[in-house]
Amino acid sequence: MWWYLLLLLPGTPAALNTCAPRHITGPAQNYVCVCNSSYCDDFPRLEKLNDGTAAVYTSSLSGKRFDLKFAQFGVKSTNTTGVTAATVKINPQDTYQSIIGFGGAFTDSVGFNLNSLTPIMQYMLLDSYFGKQGLEYNLGRVPMASCDFSMRTYSYLDTSDDFELKSFNLTSEDFDYKIPFIDQAVKMTEGKLKLMASVWSAPGWMKTNGKMVGGAPLKGEMGGIYYQTWGKYFIRFLEEYHKNGVDFWGLTVQNEPSSGLDPNYAWQTMYLSAETERDFVKTILGPLLRNSSHGKNINLMCMDDQRFLLPTWADTIFADPDAAQYIDGIAVHWYEDFITPAHNLQWTHERHPDKFMLATEACNGYLPFTHGPILGDWSRGESYAHDIIQDLNNYMGGWIDWNLCLDMKGGPNFAKNFVDAPIIVNAEKGEFYKQPMFYVMGHFSKFLKPHSVRIGLNIDANANLLEGVAVSTATNQRVIVLINRHDDVSYSAQIEDAANPGQFLNVYVEPHSIHTIVWNKVQAL
């Protein structure tokens, strides 16, 4: 299939491939977009916009996927028969946080599923995420050693009492499932991919329970030989990946440390309290990173856990200037967001405005009775959109999804922790399926570029379930992402830029839809 690779070469013009829809299971409106060895849809390329013209991308429950239309700024529409008029006003003078970006995770399960496809389809799948005709992800999360989305438990230091790290080594999983695909993604982003690493557990012999699986802390006292060895483990990981051509932008101290309180936890974890994390960073990990050639410029993030822990977790760490000096940001997961107000994020930002916040893990299909994929389910994409908008409007700098792809069961993994993913691989048929979650991610990642700045956005208070976020980009464009979560209410969104008062963009927003609207900063009308 040499012709597909030719179409993907930089600078080579290519006709737009639209979604090849297929209903597989469930309600009739549940459909996926099918990619095989000869065909895969891509993102409608946005050419140069004329002043006064806006590009409107739409995806919806009704069947649209990155549908591109153009609209003109003009007078406010009075033809709102059958729809609810809603004023949407942006104020570029109100500026907030910078955008870091969007992405997904390179787990062992992802690599296993990619390896089940032909090389051309591996390229197609990764290009769908990282390429210029794809979602243009710029962030990637990499587990340090094994996690629940591995086929076995392993560390890089499985030899007991090896405090000098003489037996430290990367494993076959790194060379078969992670590094080759990371390399491809880095090339697709022209070297702009920012990688962050997270660890699930120390080697079992270093923990009080003697194994990686199940909650327990490290052995010994802070500053003792186990903590010293654990700090050196991070440095060796960075060094070994560097030897294999992979360098990291970010690092978290511990994945979901609060889960380590559960001795019966079903996969790898390790307990750190906020106080323990603070002391480990200030006395061991922080100084080691600062003195490391491959860690001195890394963005170190604390917590990497649910937002109900905020702002207390951040307060505990940043109250100590010796710890705070080493930590650049706060990593947050989404799994308890439905019971925790997003205001916790704003509150944390107000207390610690010099630290960024980044959402580092999310997936659907993790709750009881809903495990695994639901192919084509719009509501799961909509849940992503709602959470991303809430996060961004409360000072989050970006949002990283969990597995880039999974199989039809939502795995494989040793923990049988089957969940959903934006792309599902059907190795038996030689296909992969792009889900609504994939398209929702693109409505953000394709346009809310790094160094964009969130700006003020006001939506009519009576426009219930119409939500949005707005940014001003580094390339002098305005971008709004709007979602309508209503079952039966359509809106006529009448968008006004405070920098150009009296000119309106009228956008039809149907029920259960997401829209990305882009226009030039300066209008010549």
Side-chain angles (χ1 to χ4, degrees):
M1 302 302 172
W2 59 268
W3 60 269
Y4 186 83
L5 285 175
L6 180 62
L7 291 179
L8 293 174
L9 290 175
T12 303
L16 172 66
N17 290 334
T18 58
C19 169
R22 183 188 299 169
H23 172 264
I24 295 178
T25 186
Q29 67 267 29
N30 281 18
Y31 76 84
V32 296
C33 297
V34 181
C35 295
N36 56 36
S37 61
S38 60
Y39 188 88
C40 198
D41 62 310
D42 48 32
F43 203 109
R45 186 176 299 173
L46 180 59
E47 304 296 344
K48 183 178 179 180
L49 277 172
N50 294 323
D51 289 344
T53 300
V56 182
Y57 287 88
T58 301
S59 298
S60 65
L61 176 65
S62 67
K64 297 182 178 70
R65 296 294 183 268
F66 293 152
D67 180 67
L68 174 60
K69 304 292 183 187
F70 293 93
Q72 301 294 317
F73 277 88
V75 298
K76 182 182 288 189
S77 174
T78 58
N79 182 18
T80 57
T81 304
V83 299
T84 301
T87 300
V88 177
K89 187 172 184 177
I90 69 165
N91 189 347
Q93 299 303 312
D94 297 335
T95 58
Y96 303 95
Q97 81 276 19
S98 293
I99 299 299
I100 299 169
F102 299 85
F106 294 89
T107 65
D108 291 344
S109 298
V110 167
F112 181 92
N113 286 307
L114 282 164
N115 277 331
S116 73
L117 298 170
T118 62
I120 182 65
M121 291 196 68
Q122 294 173 12
Y123 190 96
M124 283 176 161
L125 194 154
L126 290 171
D127 189 70
S128 293
Y129 277 123
F130 299 98
K132 290 188 180 299
Q133 294 189 141
L135 305 191
E136 295 190 81
Y137 274 7
N138 74 300
L139 294 175
R141 189 172 182 230
V142 182
M144 288 173 56
S146 65
C147 66
D148 47 320
F149 281 87
S150 298
M151 274 54 76
R152 66 183 181 104
T153 60
Y154 63 89
S155 78
Y156 298 134
L157 195 67
D158 286 335
T159 301
S160 297
D161 300 328
D162 183 5
F163 299 109
E164 297 181 3
L165 283 74
K166 291 181 178 179
S167 63
F168 187 102
N169 64 284
L170 300 183
T171 66
S172 60
E173 284 85 354
D174 294 285
F175 299 112
D176 293 340
Y177 300 150
K178 294 176 184 173
I179 292 173
F181 301 118
I182 292 171
D183 284 342
Q184 287 191 54
V186 169
K187 290 182 176 70
M188 289 171 178
T189 64
E190 299 177 347
K192 297 176 183 177
L193 182 62
K194 293 179 178 178
L195 297 166
M196 59 163 292
S198 298
V199 68
W200 268 245
S201 175
W205 60 270
M206 296 177 66
K207 291 170 59 183
T208 58
N209 68 345
K211 57 184 181 179
M212 294 183 74
V213 172
L218 277 176
K219 294 177 179 177
E221 301 296 323
M222 180 60 62
I225 193 168
Y226 289 97
Y227 281 91
Q228 293 287 348
T229 304
W230 186 225
K232 294 174 184 176
Y233 184 102
F234 283 79
I235 305 303
R236 281 293 302 274
F237 168 79
L238 297 175
E239 291 173 346
E240 294 302 319
Y241 258 69
H242 174 77
K243 290 177 185 177
N244 287 277
V246 177
D247 291 306
F248 287 88
W249 164 86
L251 179 70
T252 65
V253 182
Q254 170 66 41
N255 177 76
E256 296 187 353
S258 68
S259 66
L261 283 168
D262 180 1
N264 299 312
Y265 203 72
W267 53 83
Q268 301 92 320
T269 185
M270 188 168 73
Y271 177 61
L272 278 77
S273 64
E275 292 80 5
T276 304
E277 186 171 79
R278 175 198 64 200
D279 295 344
F280 176 57
V281 166
K282 78 174 182 180
T283 62
I284 297 172
L285 183 59
L288 283 173
L289 288 170
R290 285 279 174 88
N291 291 311
S292 163
S293 58
H294 306 304
K296 61 184 179 182
N297 296 318
I298 212 152
N299 289 272
L300 186 62
M301 289 164 271
C302 65
M303 201 174 83
D304 210 15
D305 212 326
Q306 317 309 321
R307 72 185 184 200
F308 68 77
L309 295 169
L310 293 172
T312 305
W313 194 284
D315 290 347
T316 299
I317 291 178
F318 299 138
D320 187 331
D322 292 332
Q325 67 171 315
Y326 295 114
I327 297 176
D328 302 278
I330 305 161
V332 187
H333 292 190
W334 93 319
Y335 298 104
E336 307 294 336
D337 284 4
F338 61 94
I339 60 171
T340 308
H343 186 75
N344 282 29
L345 301 174
Q346 180 176 335
W347 194 7
T348 302
H349 167 80
E350 290 169 351
R351 296 161 77 90
H352 310 288
D354 59 329
K355 308 299 182 182
F356 68 79
M357 291 186 289
L358 182 63
T360 52
E361 187 181 313
C363 69
N364 277 302
Y366 69 95
L367 291 169
F369 310 112
T370 62
H371 271 293
I374 301 178
L375 292 176
D377 184 75
W378 179 260
S379 68
R380 288 188 168 183
E382 199 166 80
S383 69
Y384 269 28
H386 172 65
D387 194 79
I388 293 170
I389 287 172
Q390 275 201 332
D391 278 358
L392 294 178
N393 282 331
N394 286 275
Y395 292 92
M396 199 75 82
W399 210 86
I400 303 177
D401 188 30
W402 191 206
N403 297 278
L404 290 169
C405 63
L406 293 172
D407 66 16
M408 297 289 283
K409 291 183 178 179
N413 62 69
F414 83 94
K416 294 182 170 45
N417 180 30
F418 302 124
V419 301
D420 212 339
I423 290 182
I424 296 297
V425 172
N426 187 336
E428 183 178 348
K429 291 189 175 182
E431 299 174 335
F432 63 83
Y433 309 133
K434 294 179 180 178
Q435 303 229 65
M437 289 178 287
F438 173 88
Y439 296 92
V440 164
M441 289 297 295
H443 275 274
F444 297 93
S445 65
K446 191 75 174 179
F447 301 104
L448 277 61
K449 298 291 191 179
H451 311 300
S452 298
V453 176
R454 180 169 70 89
I455 56 179
L457 176 67
N458 292 302
I459 300 175
D460 278 350
N462 63 348
N464 185 32
L465 298 183
L466 181 66
E467 302 172 297
V469 64
V471 305
S472 182
T473 74
T475 55
N476 294 319
Q477 289 185 324
R478 309 286 197 221
V479 180
I480 294 180
V481 183
L482 291 175
I483 62 168
N484 178 6
R485 295 189 291 133
H486 260 296
D487 291 328
D488 52 14
V489 176
S490 297
Y491 289 103
S492 174
Q494 303 185 349
I495 300 170
E496 182 183 24
D497 188 335
N500 191 27
Q503 293 292 321
F504 293 86
L505 191 71
N506 299 289
V507 176
Y508 174 67
V509 183
E510 64 185 275
H512 293 300
S513 64
I514 180 169
H515 307 257
T516 301
I517 304 113
V518 186
W519 69 94
N520 293 337
K521 178 178 178 180
V522 178
Q523 308 294 336
L525 301 177

